[in-house]
Amino acid sequence: MKKYRLSALFLILFFLTGCSFPPVLRRLPDYESGELHSCSGGQDSTDYGKYIFSEVTAQQLQITGYFQKVTAADLDVLRQYVKDFEQWVEICSCANCDCDLAECYDFSAELLEAGDYFGLERDEPRGNFLGDYTIHYFDWDTQTLYYLRSNI
């Protein structure tokens, strides 16, 4: 019962703070620990989440409809999006944030490797601008889901 109260409180806090709760979490087993940080201004927002699981199987990831296995060919594209996201993290410091995103953010392009799992949802890029996107990146070795969302 306590677990459900904490989950409900967690959801309420996300809705009240304007955070974008990652819907993929509804399709995975319960996570052991998690955090979600958001910075928003007007209609723009940048969200970063990190969720640690005890054990998620490849089949559980694949049936969510969000994930595919990272191949060597995917790495350059993912690095481009991570680099873009990190630029938004650096400039995102505002009164509406629950923390300085640069202090909370601990993902790195160095974590990207073939054999992990990812999902990329995006609008069409516009010129040099990547558009709005969401990355779900599951680090297989650490059983950690990273959530990077840029709605700028």
Side-chain angles (χ1 to χ4, degrees), residues 3 24-25 32 48 60 69 95 130 132 136 149-150 152:
K3 182 178 179 180
V24 68
L25 291 176
E32 291 183 348
Y48 170 69
Q60 287 172 315
K69 201 167 207 174
L130 292 178
D132 299 342
H136 300 95
R149 181 175 173 270
S150 177
I152 306 291

Side-chain angles (χ1 to χ4, degrees), residues 53-113:
F53 294 83
S54 61
E55 186 176 339
V56 175
T57 66
Q59 182 182 10
Q60 287 172 315
L61 288 172
Q62 291 168 344
I63 64 174
T64 65
Y66 284 91
F67 294 99
Q68 63 188 40
K69 201 167 207 174
V70 177
T71 66
D74 299 318
L75 292 172
D76 286 338
V77 172
L78 286 169
R79 284 186 191 108
Q80 180 183 9
Y81 278 92
V82 170
K83 181 180 177 182
D84 182 77
F85 188 80
E86 289 174 346
Q87 291 172 346
W88 291 116
V89 166
E90 286 297 319
I91 63 171
C92 191
S93 178
C94 61
N96 295 332
C97 298
D98 57 1
C99 73
D100 180 356
L101 277 183
E103 291 177 15
C104 301
Y105 180 77
D106 61 353
F107 188 75
S108 167
E110 294 174 10
L111 294 174
L112 301 171
E113 62 181 35

